[in-house]
Amino acid sequence: MKMLINVAETVVADALRGMAAAHPELIVDVENRVIVRRDAPVPGKVGLVSGGGSGHEPLHGGFVGPGMLSAACPGEVFTSPVPDQMVRAAAAVDSGAGVLFIVKNYTGDVLNFDMAAELAEDEGIQIAKVLVNDDVAVTDSLYTAGRRGTGATLFVEKIAGAAAEEGQPLERVQALARQVNENSRSFGVALSACTTPAKGSPTFDLPPGELELGVGIHGEPGRERRAMMTSREIADFSVNAILEDMHPRNPVLVLVNGMGATPLLELYGFNAEVQRVLTERGVPVARTLVGDYVTSLDMAGASVTLCQVDEDLLRLWDAPVRTAGLRWGM
């Protein structure tokens, strides 16, 4: 497989050096693998820290900045960061108002963030946590106990980040983050496998004429494989799978997320079909975001995430944000 890299062993470090050069508003510690907004710690503000394996960009480093995360910890490709990274990040952003850890539900992430929380508290940092587990496709997958954390991570980081930017206290920021997660559901579809730099070949076998319904962001299997379907058929299956699990009474935020190798031409066409299904099901849409936000290296495919919102959550979603991967209102 052709890749725009030097050697597999330095992929993450090379990317972090490039990120530092492109975004001087961030402090990128390449050696210790921590990305911090340059003005941290902000007096009186709750710090937000997240992280996970690399390969899902712009998640999480691309969401560090005003209105979202205070810091992010990138691990190796598809590998959890280690507790030392998380403790270093928490110390860098703690203003005395506490730090919220936003953790996707993958076994390594959960264990390492739990250990980091204990270590940070030993250093006098108040820590709260929220677990993101929005994927309705399967339970107890290759990487998880329970449901996987996927696209809703963006909604949690944006809305909790806006609340923290307003100076809301740690308990309230945590409660909002949990509310967003509880109100969110996701479903992903793969049209091709992804390729990790270390392996250099597809991580799983997906024949050309088939697709995986309910795939995870590391290529974990979903509900079933089928012969290739049209965009309309995929939207019907994906949105109906979500709505079988949630029954929104309020308008929803919609994320149509590319997995890394699907062009916007296709994603916008897929969004049209997603909107059609929601209209047919009587679900009002408050806002829609289309693009590559929670990726899986070079996987072709897409995921759909819905989040039911009230007026306060929508206000926080609309609040200004300025990060490498998401920005408006500033």
Side-chain angles (χ1 to χ4, degrees):
M1 302 293 291
K2 295 180 180 178
M3 292 184 176
L4 194 63
I5 65 173
N6 294 315
V7 293
E9 292 77 13
T10 66
V11 165
V12 175
D14 292 345
L16 290 175
R17 286 200 299 272
M19 188 175 197
H23 297 284
E25 71 275 14
L26 300 175
I27 298 174
V28 182
D29 185 338
V30 178
E31 181 179 356
N32 293 299
R33 304 290 174 90
V34 178
I35 303 165
V36 183
R37 54 185 280 184
R38 188 166 290 278
D39 61 351
V42 178
K45 177 187 174 301
V46 169
L48 267 65
V49 174
S50 193
S54 296
H56 306 301
E57 289 74 22
L59 191 81
H60 293 273
F63 297 146
V64 174
M68 284 190 81
L69 295 176
S70 307
C73 307
E76 291 299 324
V77 173
F78 291 178
T79 303
S80 171
V82 298
D84 285 353
Q85 291 174 259
M86 302 160 186
V87 174
R88 189 180 297 272
V93 304
D94 180 37
S95 69
V99 174
L100 178 67
F101 282 169
I102 299 172
V103 188
K104 300 190 304 303
N105 189 32
Y106 294 97
T107 303
D109 290 8
V110 172
L111 291 174
N112 286 345
F113 269 104
D114 282 348
M115 187 180 300
E118 294 178 7
L119 294 171
E121 287 171 345
D122 288 345
E123 295 185 8
I125 303 171
Q126 183 183 5
I127 300 291
K129 293 177 289 184
V130 61
L131 187 68
V132 183
N133 57 351
D134 54 303
D135 188 357
V136 303
V138 294
T139 301
D140 299 332
S141 74
L142 298 178
Y143 288 74
T144 64
R147 289 181 167 178
R148 303 175 290 215
T150 58
T153 312
L154 182 150
F155 290 151
V156 171
E157 292 177 355
K158 172 63 185 75
I159 290 173
E165 209 70 44
E166 292 180 348
Q168 297 196 36
L170 181 60
E171 295 78 7
R172 176 60 179 160
V173 176
Q174 180 189 36
L176 284 165
R178 286 178 171 169
Q179 181 184 355
V180 172
N181 178 64
E182 289 165 1
N183 287 359
S184 299
R185 301 289 188 277
S186 296
F187 192 89
V189 178
L191 308 183
S192 73
C194 56
T195 304
T196 62
K199 190 170 187 290
S201 60
T203 55
F204 61 98
D205 177 41
L206 186 57
E210 296 182 3
L211 78 170
E212 182 87 29
L213 293 166
V215 71
I217 58 173
H218 308 95
E220 314 97 300
R223 289 188 176 182
E224 62 179 290
R225 287 191 178 180
R226 288 191 183 182
M228 187 59 194
M229 301 158 64
T230 65
S231 177
R232 181 183 186 90
E233 292 167 336
I234 295 170
D236 284 330
F237 194 101
S238 301
V239 177
N240 285 327
I242 291 171
L243 295 180
E244 286 172 6
D245 202 86
M246 71 183 295
H247 306 283
R249 298 177 302 276
N250 292 338
V252 297
L253 304 176
V254 178
L255 171 63
V256 170
N257 170 68
M259 293 294 198
T262 299
L264 275 172
L265 180 70
E266 295 176 34
L267 291 177
Y268 277 120
F270 182 55
N271 179 55
E273 296 298 341
V274 168
Q275 302 286 332
R276 172 190 57 79
V277 181
L278 292 171
T279 299
E280 291 173 355
R281 295 291 299 270
V283 179
V285 174
R287 303 286 187 272
T288 300
L289 189 63
V290 178
D292 286 348
Y293 294 100
V294 184
T295 61
S296 183
L297 293 169
D298 60 342
M299 182 186 290
S303 63
V304 179
T305 304
L306 305 181
C307 177
Q308 181 178 202
V309 291
D310 56 22
E311 289 184 3
D312 192 41
L313 293 183
L314 185 58
R315 178 186 64 80
L316 292 167
W317 174 256
D318 286 340
V321 59
R322 188 171 72 248
T323 70
L326 198 70
R327 58 178 60 208
W328 57 69
M330 285 187 172

